[in-house]
Amino acid sequence: MLLLIALAGITLLLFFAFFFKSKCTREAYLLFVVYFFPVMGLGVTSEAYGGLKVFDVLAYFSFIFFFKDFILISKQNRVYFYLFNMLMVILFAGSLHSEFVKHSLLSILSVLPIFIYSKLMLKELSLNPEIRTKLIRGFQLSFFIAVFFMLMQILIGMQFTFYPDLNPNINTSEGNRYPGFLGDSQLNALFLGMTSFLFLANFKKIGKPNLFNFTLFVFVIIVMFFSGGRSAFLGVCAGLVFLLLFYRWRLKYFISFFVILALIIIPFVKDSFILFQRLSGLDESFQFRSYIWKEAYEIYNNHKFLGIGVGNYKDYVERYSSDQYYVLEDNSILIMDQPENGYLKILTEAGLFGFIITILFIIIPVAKAFYMHFAVKKNYMVLLFIASILCWMVSFNSLYTLSDRRVVVLLTSLICFVIKSDTSAAFKTEN
């Protein structure tokens, strides 16, 4: 634990040194967050004080430093500003209305940094669209760091990690599921799945991935097999289907060839990858999850409009639905803090109105960008971002992933890329 605190402190010191050396720019803040992506989820404060992470502290500092950027709202982003205000009112009202007021109000502190980061990202993308390439390179770099962590975990064991206690799901009867630099193998699989589509981006010839891009994409997918994440794998499949329908023929040929080759090879190598071994247990997993989903939906039915308060799921089920728990190997009980479904987690905690607004933050930019793709054509880079977001949306159906700041950073960055893809500057860059 002391090592984690020291590592978080060192990260903050490195940020201030880099930030001030780089003349205190928005670009410096954004690049640091992405290039130090693996440590953005390290804790700074205890749960009693909001459970703030390194990412949150950097966001709040940037809010103060770049306060002027939050005063004026551009016409293009006004709809997101209104949605943000409505969401904050709903979350605040839900917290005051809940049975765990203090904890819920403190949990809002972990929601605000998402919007601080996105506001600064949108501002910088408007003035400096070239930063997008640098940020994508940063996420790609994080993939190779994840590979290094997984390789070390294979060689010396799961103790090669940032966390003293990993999620119990890393050890299964089928074998080990490797979490990389995250604390959960499912989150690692999701990160790898979302990142895989970024490797299809050819910055020299937009919309025309080359053999190197295809090779790296396949490599990411193979690495993902070692994490054993079924929902993330299904998310990648959904993203590939999307690209097969709407991308250029070069990628369509690759996807078709890749799928045929996989169907031929997988029967011979399926016992070597835990992902394929776990696919046989889908029925049992669904039965467990369906019971939890029904319980969560009942909670939502009793608190439809404001929910039970953000961050209150664990406290609520411990008091009113105590059969939602895991039995660990040492026979101890772990109360669930999410209902194995991200959408239900938001529904139960934020209510129907909060859920709708949250989904609109994703649907509106994706729908607008998709329309622009057909209206203007040649906006192929944005399709890769949408495929990555689609991967997250499918995976979100079986796990609430927004509690990890690194997933938040990646998802928020992708949404910002999509929002800014319909600007004239972005099109000039891509065409």
Side-chain angles (χ1 to χ4, degrees):
M1 184 61 71
L2 290 175
L3 179 61
L4 289 179
I5 296 173
L7 187 57
I10 292 171
T11 303
L12 293 176
L13 291 175
L14 286 174
F15 167 76
F16 290 119
F18 174 77
F19 183 74
F20 289 108
K21 185 179 180 181
S22 303
K23 300 181 181 179
C24 308
T25 61
R26 281 186 306 271
E27 181 180 21
Y29 160 67
L30 295 170
L31 290 178
F32 186 90
V33 169
V34 173
Y35 277 88
F36 282 78
F37 180 84
V39 294
M40 285 298 112
L42 294 179
V44 176
T45 68
S46 65
E47 290 297 326
Y49 294 96
L52 298 181
K53 311 299 183 183
V54 169
F55 169 71
D56 303 323
V57 173
L58 298 185
Y60 281 120
F61 167 80
S62 299
F63 173 75
I64 297 172
F65 198 91
F66 299 109
F67 183 74
K68 289 183 179 179
D69 290 338
F70 295 87
I71 297 175
L72 298 177
I73 305 298
S74 67
K75 275 187 177 181
Q76 185 184 19
N77 299 330
R78 194 167 293 171
V79 61
Y80 305 112
F81 175 71
Y82 293 146
L83 288 175
F84 165 74
N85 285 325
M86 288 189 289
L87 181 61
M88 288 301 104
V89 169
I90 290 171
L91 294 184
F92 187 72
S95 297
L96 294 179
H97 185 70
S98 72
E99 299 183 41
F100 312 96
V101 177
K102 180 181 177 182
H103 183 264
S104 190
L105 289 174
L106 287 173
S107 295
I108 295 178
L109 293 176
S110 64
V111 176
L112 291 171
I114 302 171
F115 296 98
I116 296 172
Y117 175 79
S118 61
K119 177 65 175 71
L120 294 175
M121 172 76 77
L122 292 173
K123 179 75 172 181
E124 188 63 22
L125 285 171
S126 297
L127 302 175
N128 178 22
E130 290 78 15
I131 193 178
R132 187 184 66 179
T133 301
K134 297 178 182 178
L135 295 172
I136 292 174
R137 295 297 191 199
F139 290 125
Q140 292 173 339
L141 173 63
S142 293
F143 161 73
F144 291 105
I145 296 174
V147 171
F148 171 73
F149 267 75
M150 294 175 71
L151 182 61
M152 295 303 293
Q153 288 164 355
I154 292 172
L155 295 175
I156 66 176
M158 296 297 183
Q159 63 269 23
F160 193 86
T161 179
F162 289 135
Y163 304 95
D165 298 307
L166 294 170
N167 192 303
N169 67 7
I170 64 170
N171 296 311
T172 68
S173 57
E174 295 91 356
N176 290 328
R177 300 169 57 188
Y178 298 97
F181 55 68
L182 294 111
D184 186 306
S185 57
Q186 289 175 280
L187 291 175
N188 187 37
L190 175 60
F191 163 70
L192 297 173
M194 293 175 70
T195 308
S196 66
F197 295 102
L198 298 182
F199 281 96
L200 292 174
N202 184 346
F203 299 105
K204 294 181 179 179
K205 294 183 178 180
I206 302 298
K208 297 181 179 180
N210 54 34
L211 181 61
F212 184 64
N213 296 123
F214 294 144
T215 302
L216 286 174
F217 174 82
V218 173
F219 179 57
V220 179
I221 300 304
I222 293 174
V223 172
M224 189 181 72
F225 290 163
F226 287 95
S227 65
R230 294 174 298 199
S231 60
F233 176 69
L234 294 176
V236 169
C237 292
L240 286 175
V241 171
F242 171 80
L243 294 177
L244 184 63
L245 292 174
F246 302 109
Y247 214 83
R248 281 177 166 167
W249 282 105
R250 179 182 296 191
L251 185 57
K252 291 182 179 182
Y253 292 143
F254 163 73
I255 294 174
S256 300
F257 175 77
F258 174 71
V259 171
I260 294 173
L261 185 63
L263 291 175
I264 295 173
I265 295 177
I266 286 175
F268 299 98
V269 300
K270 63 180 181 179
D271 293 335
S272 301
F273 299 104
I274 188 171
L275 172 64
F276 300 113
Q277 298 177 46
R278 294 189 68 242
L279 289 176
S280 60
L282 279 173
D283 289 341
E284 181 181 348
S285 178
F286 177 76
Q287 289 176 3
F288 170 75
R289 280 186 165 89
S290 63
Y291 173 77
I292 301 299
W293 294 344
K294 290 177 182 178
E295 291 284 307
Y297 192 75
E298 283 300 315
I299 296 174
Y300 159 71
N301 271 332
N302 295 326
H303 304 81
K304 281 188 176 180
F305 299 111
L306 293 178
I308 60 176
V310 61
N312 282 344
Y313 192 86
K314 182 177 181 180
D315 292 331
Y316 187 92
V317 300
E318 189 172 14
R319 179 176 294 183
Y320 296 108
S321 184
S322 56
D323 54 345
Q324 294 192 45
Y325 62 85
Y326 294 110
V327 179
L328 303 180
E329 291 185 357
D330 59 358
N331 292 322
S332 60
I333 300 298
L334 179 64
I335 301 296
M336 299 181 67
D337 60 356
Q338 53 96 13
E340 297 288 343
N341 185 300
Y343 300 105
L344 280 175
K345 165 88 165 177
I346 297 174
L347 266 176
T348 55
E349 292 192 348
L352 180 62
F353 297 136
F355 174 82
I356 292 174
I357 293 173
T358 301
I359 296 302
L360 285 177
F361 276 114
I362 301 172
I363 298 300
I364 291 176
V366 168
K368 288 176 65 177
F370 199 57
Y371 167 77
M372 291 298 292
H373 170 69
F374 287 103
V376 182
K377 306 295 184 182
K378 297 183 181 179
N379 191 9
Y380 287 98
M381 184 71 81
V382 76
L383 296 186
L384 297 178
F385 304 146
I386 294 176
S388 186
I389 293 171
L390 184 61
C391 175
W392 173 84
M393 293 181 72
V394 171
S395 180
F396 201 56
N397 193 58
S398 66
L399 180 69
Y400 179 75
T401 53
L402 296 182
S403 57
D404 192 286
R405 303 302 190 274
R406 287 152 297 192
V407 174
V408 168
V409 169
L410 178 55
L411 177 63
T412 304
S413 299
L414 290 168
I415 293 173
C416 290
F417 295 161
V418 170
I419 291 173
K420 284 303 173 183
S421 68
D422 62 352
T423 62
S424 58
F427 276 114
K428 288 177 183 177
T429 304
E430 294 187 3
N431 291 339

